[in-house]
Amino acid sequence: MPIYKIEGVKKDGLQKYNVRVNYLNSDGVKKQLTRITFGLEEAKDLEKKLLDEVKEKLDGSHGKTTIDQLFTEYIATKQHDVRKTTAHKYEKEYELYIKPNLEHVKLCKLTVPMLQKWKSYIESLEIGLTTRNHAYSTLRILLNYAVRMEYIPKNPLTAIGCFKDADYSKAEIAYYTADEFLKYINAVKQYAEKRTAECRCLSEWDYYIFFNIAFYTGMRKGEILALKWSDLDADLINVRRSIQQKVKGFADIETPPKSKSSIRTLQIPLPLMKVLEEHRERQKVIGKFTEEYRVCGGEQCIRGASLGDKNRFYANISGQKRIRVHDFRHAHVSVLANEGINIQEIARRLGHAKVEITWNTYSHLYPREQEKAVDVLNRIA
């Protein structure tokens, strides 16, 4: 509902303004009311009157756009702007947490108290703080879209704020040190050798390779699962694809990495180079090997859902604490950070768009930098 100043036009010393209110009629067609007035205060009063007029029009309309109709429109407009996996995430959040309470609510009827009631409903569910805020984020994005399209004047959700938990404290990042990882990965190797001897089963080697890549490169799970031999060039890994499994209505979906900055080239460390070369030879033995084979799996990549169970089992047989699959990415950072590797290089290796993202997550892994700073100051006397 913009108020536009018409430059150079005044009446009795008052500035001329064009006041416009946009809305959808009962058929969902974009309409607008436009009026002219003089003086800023008069323009604000006129805007309020026009809004009330529009509200009266819409309150009597049975076909006014509902939250459900808005969501359908939003997803249709975003089908070429976001990855399928992102669209699926929005659909899942909407179906589980927004649709049950707000599906039939018309935009003109949506109020702050109504959204506060929705928030209370979400808080009553047995879901974590992160999940609650994912639901909040999806609804906020949807209503921001309605504001951009000028269906509503402002986003009423911002008045109630996101979810908070007074008893919530962010868990410390768990990771393996280099020594802990070597004990872990050696146990995995021994188990893979055992299974090969017992039943000529080579599938355990795929997991052995996965966790090696995760530790030595810091790549994301989807990036590792999607990795093909054609992505390896001498001593380099070209990270240029990811994979999403268990997507509603789809088989495995290969996509670009998470963001433009995630498309990167990583030099392969010698220990990883050795195990990759050995694994390539294994795959050549068991099938019609091509460079389009997945590094972890062959013709098809291993299932991401199985990684958690395998990781739990390997931690147990190695006698090491159990960390999450994603924590191998943290382990990669911890090794580099404690050797003083520049935070910008770590951000590049992780595929972060901004160094601030890396620093906010991993700044505590730079103890030696603090020691160096104190040493410098200690020498000043």
Side-chain angles (χ1 to χ4, degrees):
M1 323 120 344
I3 297 176
Y4 296 106
K5 180 190 291 187
I6 301 177
E7 297 291 348
V9 181
K10 293 186 177 181
K11 181 179 180 181
D12 298 329
L14 296 176
Q15 177 67 51
K16 186 175 183 180
Y17 288 93
N18 184 356
V19 181
R20 188 183 74 198
V21 173
N22 301 286
Y23 66 99
L24 294 179
N25 69 7
S26 60
D27 297 318
V29 177
K30 292 181 183 179
K31 296 287 185 178
Q32 64 178 229
L33 292 178
T34 302
R35 300 287 187 274
I36 299 295
T37 191
F38 292 87
L40 182 58
E41 292 303 318
E42 287 77 2
K44 290 179 179 178
D45 289 340
L46 178 58
E47 181 185 44
K48 186 176 183 303
K49 290 178 182 178
L50 292 179
L51 283 172
D52 291 340
E53 184 179 336
V54 168
K55 190 173 186 301
E56 288 180 10
K57 289 176 179 287
L58 296 179
D59 283 349
S61 302
H62 298 293
K64 174 59 182 164
T65 299
T66 64
I67 294 294
D68 198 55
Q69 291 169 334
L70 179 70
F71 182 76
T72 300
E73 177 185 329
Y74 174 74
I75 289 296
T77 62
K78 287 295 179 180
Q79 62 180 332
H80 299 300
D81 296 341
V82 299
R83 301 162 74 191
K84 288 182 179 179
T85 52
T86 301
H88 173 66
K89 180 179 78 70
Y90 290 151
E91 290 170 351
K92 180 181 178 182
E93 299 289 345
Y94 177 76
E95 289 290 332
L96 290 175
Y97 306 119
I98 300 172
K99 186 173 182 177
N101 287 73
L102 301 174
E103 175 183 9
H104 300 298
V105 176
K106 299 174 183 179
L107 285 175
C108 63
K109 296 287 189 179
L110 191 63
T111 64
V112 172
M114 188 180 296
L115 290 171
Q116 183 62 58
K117 186 176 180 181
W118 169 80
K119 185 178 180 183
S120 297
Y121 161 73
I122 297 299
E123 287 175 331
S124 71
L125 302 178
E126 295 183 358
I127 55 178
L129 179 63
T130 299
T131 303
R132 279 178 267 164
N133 276 319
H134 282 168
Y136 176 91
S137 178
T138 298
L139 182 55
R140 177 177 55 80
I141 290 170
L142 181 61
L143 294 180
N144 281 344
Y145 168 76
V147 173
R148 289 197 305 276
M149 297 302 294
E150 300 182 338
Y151 297 164
I152 54 177
K154 63 180 181 178
N155 187 343
L157 187 63
T158 57
I160 67 173
C162 62
F163 293 92
K164 297 179 181 179
D165 190 338
D167 298 324
Y168 174 80
S169 59
K170 189 174 181 179
E172 291 186 7
I173 292 176
Y175 56 87
Y176 284 148
T177 64
D179 288 341
E180 288 172 333
F181 171 73
L182 289 177
K183 291 175 182 177
Y184 171 94
I185 205 66
N186 284 334
V188 179
K189 182 179 181 181
Q190 290 173 14
Y191 182 74
E193 291 172 339
K194 176 185 175 184
R195 291 293 293 160
T196 301
E198 289 175 346
C199 59
R200 298 187 61 79
C201 177
L202 300 180
S203 61
E204 293 297 330
W205 290 107
D206 290 320
Y207 295 99
Y208 171 70
I209 292 300
F210 176 93
F211 288 111
N212 266 292
I213 296 174
F215 178 81
Y216 282 110
T217 69
M219 290 168 61
R220 299 179 179 90
K221 179 177 77 172
E223 294 169 346
I224 301 173
L225 293 177
L227 193 65
K228 296 181 178 181
W229 291 108
S230 59
D231 296 325
L232 277 60
D233 181 13
D235 63 344
L236 300 175
I237 291 178
N238 297 303
V239 184
R240 56 191 180 192
R241 67 182 92 240
S242 184
I243 203 159
Q244 179 71 26
Q245 298 176 336
K246 284 190 173 180
V247 177
K248 181 180 178 181
F250 297 94
D252 290 357
I253 299 176
E254 184 178 298
T255 68
K258 188 175 182 180
S259 62
K260 289 182 179 179
S261 58
S262 296
I263 300 174
R264 59 203 188 278
T265 299
L266 303 173
Q267 191 165 10
I268 305 174
L270 292 177
L272 179 58
M273 179 73 76
K274 181 175 184 295
V275 299
L276 284 171
E277 290 173 348
E278 292 171 348
H279 194 56
R280 183 194 287 262
E281 294 305 312
R282 287 189 204 97
Q283 287 196 357
K284 286 182 178 180
V285 170
I286 62 174
K288 297 178 180 179
F289 178 84
T290 75
E291 291 296 311
E292 294 306 300
Y293 263 32
R294 304 286 184 188
V295 174
C296 298
E299 292 183 277
Q300 293 184 335
C301 62
I302 56 178
R303 309 311 298 167
S306 66
L307 288 168
D309 290 337
K310 288 292 183 179
N311 178 41
R312 188 179 297 106
F313 174 73
Y314 296 149
N316 183 52
I317 64 174
S318 67
Q320 301 302 304
K321 63 189 178 189
R322 186 175 70 85
I323 64 175
R324 300 173 308 163
V325 173
H326 187 74
D327 292 333
F328 282 81
R329 185 167 159 90
H330 300 326
H332 176 76
V333 175
S334 72
V335 171
L336 299 181
N338 280 284
E339 290 300 323
I341 300 301
N342 188 287
I343 190 73
Q344 289 183 315
E345 170 57 15
I346 292 179
R348 186 194 71 82
R349 295 184 67 83
L350 295 179
H352 284 167
K354 297 180 180 179
V355 173
E356 289 82 356
I357 298 173
T358 317
W359 183 252
N360 289 339
T361 306
Y362 298 112
S363 58
H364 67 288
L365 296 179
Y366 277 81
R368 294 187 182 182
E369 291 300 307
Q370 298 174 20
E371 295 169 6
K372 289 177 183 177
V374 173
D375 287 342
V376 169
L377 296 173
N378 285 340
R379 292 196 295 270
I380 300 175

